[in-house]
Amino acid sequence: MTPTEPLTGGAAAPTAVRPPLPVKMVIAGGFGVGKTTTVGSISEIEPLTTEASITEVAAGVDDLTHTPRKTTTTVAMDFGCITIDPTLKLYLFGTPGQERFGFMWDDIVEGAIGGLVIVDTRRLDDCYAAVDYFEHKGIPFAVAVNAFDGKVEHSLEEVRWALDVSDGVPVVVFDARERGSVRDALLVVLELALARTGS
């Protein structure tokens, strides 16, 4: 049979390879908890960031007590992506952490299947706004405790109690610098979102 002849008889017609399904996920949390690092650790493309230098004015507004070496901050969003498997590709959108940029959240979160709320156990109060936002919007989310310097200040049960999140909200420990650890945290959110949709 020549290449121009149609496939007939018992031969199966070739199936078109579908591109992976695009899925949006949000990375949220307070100032300096590791959102930009999380996106950068896992993204298969060079992540798009909107980092700006922390000025003296901003330093007077943002608490740098636990992040003294931090010289930049996200002023709009971070963006990256990762192909989970041939059928699914995650597009990651990191929110700015400061409350003064909260007006951007609705646009960033639009269409997201879920969120990963990153917390620093040394300053849990910085993530209350993110937890409240996802609960209010009814968007599935997991809480990811970033292990700064390889340790956390409180147990996961203490974190759950302090944030007053339901048993249905996963609370995990991860390291924003480690690709495998970030992957595992994102998969927790993905599984939660799929369970919510009944898939």
Side-chain angles (χ1 to χ4, degrees), residues 1-24:
M1 178 170 54
T2 66
T4 57
E5 292 176 346
L7 292 174
T8 58
T15 56
V17 177
R18 294 185 180 181
L21 178 70
V23 173
K24 181 178 182 180

Side-chain angles (χ1 to χ4, degrees), residues 12-193:
T15 56
V17 177
R18 294 185 180 181
L21 178 70
V23 173
K24 181 178 182 180
M25 189 177 294
V26 175
I27 311 298
F31 172 74
V33 296
K35 299 180 297 296
T36 299
T37 301
T38 296
V39 174
S41 294
I42 195 72
S43 180
E44 63 194 16
I45 63 169
E46 184 69 27
L48 168 67
T49 63
T50 54
E51 294 280 288
S53 296
I54 297 176
T55 63
E56 288 184 16
V57 173
V61 175
D62 300 320
D63 183 5
L64 301 177
T65 304
H66 295 289
T67 55
R69 294 187 300 272
K70 189 171 177 60
T71 59
T72 62
T73 185
T74 300
V75 295
M77 68 172 187
D78 300 312
F79 173 78
C81 64
I82 178 68
T83 302
I84 299 298
D85 61 34
T87 67
L88 189 65
K89 188 167 192 172
L90 279 184
Y91 289 89
L92 307 173
F93 290 77
T95 65
Q98 301 93 322
E99 288 187 24
R100 64 183 180 276
F101 296 122
F103 66 91
M104 301 178 184
W105 276 50
D106 285 344
D107 290 331
I108 294 174
V109 172
E110 180 69 29
I113 64 159
L116 185 70
V117 176
I118 302 175
V119 303
D120 179 349
T121 55
R122 298 169 298 182
R123 46 198 176 95
L124 286 172
D125 54 335
D126 286 357
C127 72
Y128 289 151
V131 169
D132 289 345
Y133 184 89
F134 284 105
E135 287 181 337
H136 177 71
K137 293 288 185 179
I139 299 172
F141 70 98
V143 172
V145 177
N146 195 359
F148 285 90
D149 300 320
K151 61 182 180 180
V152 294
E153 297 291 324
H154 304 284
S155 71
L156 295 185
E157 282 309 308
E158 289 173 325
V159 171
R160 180 183 296 283
W161 178 85
L163 298 181
D164 193 26
V165 293
S166 71
D167 291 341
V169 175
V171 180
V172 300
V173 175
F174 88 124
D175 188 329
R177 302 164 300 178
E178 298 293 333
R179 179 181 176 87
S181 186
V182 172
R183 177 204 60 213
D184 292 345
L186 294 177
L187 287 176
V188 169
V189 180
L190 184 59
E191 290 171 3
L192 186 66

